[in-house]
Amino acid sequence: MKKDFSVVIAGGGSTFTPGIVMMMLENSDRFPMRELKLYDNDGDRQGILGEALEILLKEQAPDLKFSYTTDPEEAFSDVDFVMAHIRVGKYEMREQDEKIPLKYGVVGQETCGPGGIAYGMRSITGMLEIIDYMEKYSPDAWMLNYSNPAAIVAEATRVLRPDSKVLNICDMPVGTLRRMSQIVGTTPDKLEVSYFGLNHFGWWTSVKDKATGYEYIDEIKEYVAENGYLTQVEVDTQHMDESWQATHKKAKDLLAIEPNYLPNTYLKYYFYPDYEVASSNPEFTRANEVMAGREKQVFTAARNIIEKGTAVDGGFHIDSHASFIVDLARAIAFNAKERMLLIVENNGAIANFDDDAMVEVPCIVGSDGPEPLAQGKIPAFNRALMLQQVTAEKLVVEAYIEGSYQKLWQALSLSKIVPSAEVAKQLLDDLIEANKGYWPELK
């Protein structure tokens, strides 16, 4: 077993890249690297972050070999892990994903409903491309994918690259678990959860103390029924955007409709779409918030580091929250048998759900990949919701493969967020226009 690893981050120009690189440095004792590369198809954007990170790494990790490139062969050769956070179409297209649905009074969100479907149709091509580069240049490597929209991307890889070594993971349950740990006064690493659902569409059935087996779920429910998942610690320390505060608060209404389990916060878009649309500003959506906030902050910090020639007090912030990526890489590299929530083919993990559905469940992860843990049978209410959602996701992938207008119209009509087939058709025609050059041609 190798003692140190070569990693490429695909989507090197992402606003998340500096925080993730710093997180990996912080975890270098657990996951030592000999080489780190950034890859992006937008060289100009990546170049700004690459140049700043080069300065930072010379100061903080002088022995680590570092490079950034737009050349796939250079990027993907001799790597052990590909960490993927790509955004096809960048924030400009995210803005379209959010604003086009809002024109029709429909939720505009990057991973849910029409916005998620549009983003999914764009992302499949980009994901397949980097999987193929990995398999061509480093056939033994694993890809850890945390790109959105994870559900559609995972289904596309299941169908189109069934034998690829790709693990799909989402950071949302990680963030929610952190808040749960604050609610009961412990830390996330001391908790063990059971969960069932699809990506951005599921429920926690158990939150236990790892050492003692003590079940915290009723205590957490009591808190969530009053406050949602919002904790004062997070408000004080995370400089959380108002829109995220509202999201975590809304969990109390999600618990009200399904009081048996703790909800994934993204369910608010499906259960309370009217509330979401009413509290959205069609002129200034989350994409605008990110462009004016995080994107500006990260690229300003990068330019300052380049200008000063040092990263000391440079303004890049470590993304400790992303340490789940290192946990996953370690589990593979060291056969660590780590228990984590992953998006995997069901194959009986949820007993009364389709075997070929990509579900999100706890898995034991070792060097052969994930082994899903059985979650038993699920109630009719949750099952029906999941079936509607997973069928829409499958239709999106079929529409992509077949170039089928009909199937994409059906996918949009089936989405719980879209009120009618008529609205679905109008939305589809607008989205086709906006995504020219990104989507396959639909007939």
Side-chain angles (χ1 to χ4, degrees):
M1 172 47 67
K2 286 180 180 170
K3 293 287 180 285
D4 49 11
F5 301 94
S6 172
V7 173
V8 60
I9 295 178
S14 162
T15 54
F16 292 111
T17 299
I20 285 175
V21 169
M22 290 170 75
M23 175 279 297
M24 289 172 76
L25 289 186
E26 190 182 58
N27 285 275
S28 59
D29 56 330
R30 300 169 59 227
F31 185 73
M33 290 185 293
R34 67 177 183 279
E35 183 169 18
L36 175 64
K37 301 188 263 193
L38 307 183
Y39 170 77
D40 204 301
N41 57 8
D42 181 341
D44 293 342
R45 184 182 167 96
Q46 175 176 262
I48 300 165
L49 299 182
E51 203 179 327
L53 284 167
E54 195 158 21
I55 293 166
L56 179 137
L57 290 167
K58 274 201 180 107
E59 293 173 344
Q60 296 189 17
D63 297 337
L64 179 64
K65 189 179 171 193
F66 175 72
S67 59
Y68 51 98
T69 181
T70 56
D71 173 17
E73 186 172 1
E74 209 178 304
F76 290 87
S77 294
D78 183 37
V79 295
D80 303 303
F81 290 98
V82 177
M83 297 181 175
H85 55 217
I86 64 170
R87 181 180 291 280
V88 179
K90 304 195 202 58
Y91 289 119
E92 290 74 19
M93 288 308 297
R94 176 177 179 174
E95 189 178 3
Q96 298 299 309
D97 297 341
E98 292 168 353
K99 289 183 176 176
I100 291 169
L102 284 169
K103 273 188 2 195
Y104 297 93
V106 174
V107 167
Q109 210 279 328
E110 69 157 339
T111 66
C112 304
I117 288 171
Y119 185 16
M121 285 287 285
R122 286 199 307 276
S123 300
I124 295 170
T125 309
M127 276 307 298
L128 295 179
E129 196 175 79
I130 60 173
I131 290 170
D132 292 347
Y133 289 149
M134 174 178 86
E135 297 194 330
K136 182 177 179 181
Y137 298 116
S138 288
D140 295 331
W142 282 85
M143 181 178 292
L144 315 183
N145 174 51
Y146 43 101
S147 310
N148 275 327
I152 292 170
V153 165
E155 170 63 13
T157 54
R158 181 190 76 81
V159 176
L160 295 165
R161 298 292 183 275
D163 301 321
S164 295
K165 289 157 77 171
V166 179
L167 296 178
N168 293 290
I169 190 165
C170 176
D171 69 337
M172 194 65 205
V174 178
T176 305
L177 185 64
R178 186 178 66 238
R179 282 176 274 282
M180 289 179 185
S181 73
Q182 290 159 2
I183 291 166
V184 295
T186 182
T187 52
D189 56 329
K190 293 192 167 64
L191 295 175
E192 186 169 274
V193 304
S194 294
Y195 180 99
F196 71 86
L198 313 168
N199 180 239
H200 287 184
F201 202 101
W203 295 266
W204 282 267
T205 57
S206 167
V207 184
K208 285 183 176 169
D209 184 288
K210 252 186 212 171
T212 65
Y214 179 80
E215 178 62 80
Y216 284 113
I217 200 158
D218 289 337
E219 270 170 70
I220 300 170
K221 274 192 209 167
E222 213 171 292
Y223 181 94
V224 173
E226 288 290 311
N227 313 283
Y229 291 121
L230 192 64
T231 63
Q232 203 49 51
V233 183
E234 296 262 308
V235 176
D236 295 343
T237 60
Q238 299 281 322
H239 314 296
M240 198 187 282
D241 292 339
E242 300 244 330
S243 63
W244 272 115
Q245 291 193 34
T247 290
H248 298 311
K249 271 186 201 155
K250 195 70 183 161
K252 72 179 199 179
D253 295 330
L254 298 172
L255 183 63
I257 185 161
E258 169 47 296
N260 294 308
Y261 311 125
L262 287 163
N264 188 306
T265 50
Y266 278 89
L267 289 163
K268 70 175 189 158
Y269 298 109
Y270 301 94
F271 285 126
Y272 298 101
D274 42 0
Y275 157 85
E276 284 306 317
V277 172
S279 48
S280 295
N281 175 356
E283 303 305 314
F284 193 85
T285 60
R286 177 70 189 151
N288 299 113
E289 220 176 80
V290 173
M291 286 189 274
R294 189 177 66 234
E295 185 169 47
K296 203 169 161 190
Q297 186 265 318
V298 168
F299 279 89
T300 302
R303 289 188 179 96
N304 287 345
I305 290 169
I306 294 164
E307 206 175 305
K308 292 191 312 191
T310 175
V312 177
D313 304 323
F316 278 164
H317 299 294
I318 185 163
D319 185 358
S320 301
H321 163 70
S323 59
F324 69 89
I325 302 162
V326 166
D327 296 337
L328 184 54
R330 273 181 55 83
I332 295 285
F334 302 118
N335 198 28
K337 303 295 182 189
E338 181 94 37
R339 182 173 170 144
M340 305 182 81
L341 288 187
L342 293 180
I343 303 155
V344 291
E345 200 166 351
N346 183 36
N347 288 331
I350 299 170
N352 55 343
F353 204 63
D354 297 21
D355 278 344
D356 66 355
M358 292 302 279
V359 296
E360 194 164 32
V361 291
C363 300
I364 301 295
V365 187
S367 51
D368 293 331
E371 294 177 52
L373 296 172
Q375 300 301 299
K377 288 185 175 172
I378 59 173
F381 177 67
N382 313 75
R383 183 173 171 270
L385 287 160
M386 283 166 56
L387 195 58
Q388 179 179 15
Q389 178 70 3
V390 83
T391 308
E393 290 162 1
K394 284 179 174 295
L395 282 164
V396 173
V397 174
E398 287 171 23
Y400 174 92
I401 294 167
E402 297 163 26
S404 168
Y405 180 97
Q406 189 76 44
K407 285 195 168 170
L408 205 55
W409 182 17
Q410 289 178 346
L412 283 158
S413 301
L414 196 57
S415 172
K416 190 169 158 50
I417 286 170
V418 179
S420 75
E422 181 56 38
V423 173
K425 195 172 197 311
Q426 293 170 340
L427 264 169
L428 177 54
D429 292 340
D430 265 16
L431 289 169
I432 287 171
E433 193 54 44
N435 283 277
K436 276 201 169 130
Y438 288 110
W439 285 10
E441 204 178 323
L442 301 180
K443 293 186 179 68

